[in-house]
Amino acid sequence: MVKLKKYNRFLKLFVIFLTLTSIFSCSEKNYNLTKIEGKQIPITEKGAETPEIEKFIKPYRDHINKDLDSVLAYCPENLDKNSGKWQTTIGNMLADACVQRGNIIFKSRENKTIDFCLLNFGGIRAGLPKGNVTSRSAFEIMPFENNLVVLALKGEQVLEITSYFVKTQKAQPLSGMTFTITKDKTAKNIVIQGKPFDVNKTYYVATNDYLANGGDNMSFFAKNTQKFDLNYKLRNVLIDYFKEVKTIPVSKDIRITEE
């Protein structure tokens, strides 16, 4: 029994010795990377499918597709982002929806109303074809995770907004505001919510959080005096708007004119 204990003790010491020897011998070696090899492995939709995984996720995919394809409203004609120089039918619809839906939250939280809405032309990623409108339509038009925000802007920044239109020469979505571009490339006859523009007034402007931080060179938004995040994704604004109106109104009123 005593011999067995001595043997076990000797065996443990021997194992420790081998371990330490291995560690020190490895630490003395210098390993250098001499070559990196790689190859392109094409991934196709067919090759990427795994039957077991497909079987597992199918019920979830079917459920999501059912929600996305449920009919919310009807669009009486094609709305696209290339239907005009200064305003488009899809841009008008999107900006109008932000004012209408955003006001519900802004009024209840702050007891204030949105004066106008400005979004960006590049943020519209799809048109709205004639026919049934679904939740999928909203995801296609507005695939980003942007929230609707309201900014308090002084009159000087409102004038910067009109200059931005002149500079970019694009149909930026606009609602609640109209003006005329003169031959010398300045704005006149600025009207906001049916009232003449007052440079000394503070206006509440709806936009998305990306633009609010100066995105798309909209630096005037960063000069706001107050910021209200409505925590309302633009995509959800559209979905709720579609549910409410049932038939999409096609706004073709002239919001920006030229002399």
Side-chain angles (χ1 to χ4, degrees):
M1 187 69 175
V2 175
K3 290 182 179 181
L4 182 59
K5 288 182 179 180
K6 288 182 178 181
Y7 175 77
N8 288 337
R9 191 181 305 116
F10 172 77
L11 185 60
K12 289 179 181 179
L13 291 172
F14 182 68
V15 171
I16 294 172
F17 171 76
L18 290 178
T19 304
L20 292 174
T21 302
S22 175
I23 292 172
F24 286 118
S25 63
C26 288
S27 63
E28 292 174 358
K29 294 180 180 179
N30 293 321
Y31 294 95
N32 296 313
L33 183 64
T34 59
K35 188 177 182 181
I36 298 177
E37 292 184 345
K39 63 179 180 178
Q40 186 177 22
I41 302 175
I43 299 176
T44 63
E45 184 178 351
K46 183 177 180 180
E49 291 182 358
T50 302
E52 292 80 5
I53 296 177
E54 287 298 309
K55 182 179 179 181
F56 178 78
I57 66 175
K58 185 179 184 303
Y60 301 97
R61 180 189 287 119
D62 292 345
H63 179 73
I64 291 172
N65 285 334
K66 182 179 179 181
D67 286 344
L68 288 176
D69 294 329
S70 58
V71 177
L72 306 178
Y74 178 79
C75 187
E77 63 180 81
N78 293 331
L79 306 185
D80 67 78
K81 61 186 291 185
N82 298 307
S83 58
K85 180 180 179 180
W86 295 109
Q87 59 263 318
T88 65
T89 50
I90 186 74
N92 287 354
M93 185 273 293
L94 181 56
D96 288 348
C98 287
V99 171
Q100 182 175 324
R101 298 298 307 177
N103 258 332
I104 296 172
I105 298 174
F106 195 48
K107 285 179 180 178
S108 64
R109 289 185 187 175
E110 308 295 335
N111 196 28
K112 303 177 188 299
T113 57
I114 296 168
D115 291 300
F116 66 94
C117 174
L118 172 64
L119 301 170
N120 62 324
F121 177 84
I124 304 174
R125 292 309 173 104
L128 191 62
K130 179 180 179 179
N132 289 334
V133 179
T134 65
S135 295
R136 191 183 298 276
S137 305
F139 275 83
E140 291 170 347
I141 296 169
M142 195 59 56
F144 311 108
E145 295 298 307
N146 295 122
N147 276 349
L148 185 65
V149 301
V150 178
L151 305 175
L153 295 184
K154 294 181 178 179
E156 291 88 343
Q157 279 68 66
V158 175
L159 291 177
E160 289 184 51
I161 288 175
T162 62
S163 297
Y164 181 82
F165 271 90
V166 174
K167 181 180 179 180
T168 59
Q169 297 280 306
K170 290 183 179 179
Q172 317 290 355
L174 181 69
S175 177
M177 175 181 177
T178 62
F179 60 93
T180 298
I181 299 174
T182 65
K183 292 180 180 179
D184 61 356
K185 305 302 180 184
T186 58
K188 72 173 187 179
N189 300 332
I190 304 172
V191 177
I192 299 175
Q193 289 299 328
K195 298 179 181 180
F197 167 67
D198 182 354
V199 72
N200 298 311
K201 183 180 176 179
T202 293
Y203 291 93
Y204 294 101
V205 186
T207 189
N208 66 52
D209 52 359
Y210 166 70
L211 300 177
N213 293 323
D216 218 358
N217 296 315
M218 293 190 181
S219 56
F220 41 80
F221 278 145
K223 301 174 185 177
N224 67 82
T225 58
Q226 276 184 296
K227 181 178 180 180
F228 307 89
D229 190 338
L230 303 188
N231 195 27
Y232 197 2
K233 294 191 184 304
L234 263 69
R235 183 170 55 245
N236 292 337
V237 168
L238 280 179
I239 291 173
D240 291 342
Y241 180 75
F242 294 157
K243 290 178 180 178
E244 181 181 14
V245 298
K246 299 301 182 184
T247 298
I248 308 299
V250 182
S251 300
K252 297 181 180 180
D253 56 306
I254 305 301
R255 304 181 183 191
I256 300 175
T257 57
E258 289 181 274
E259 284 188 334

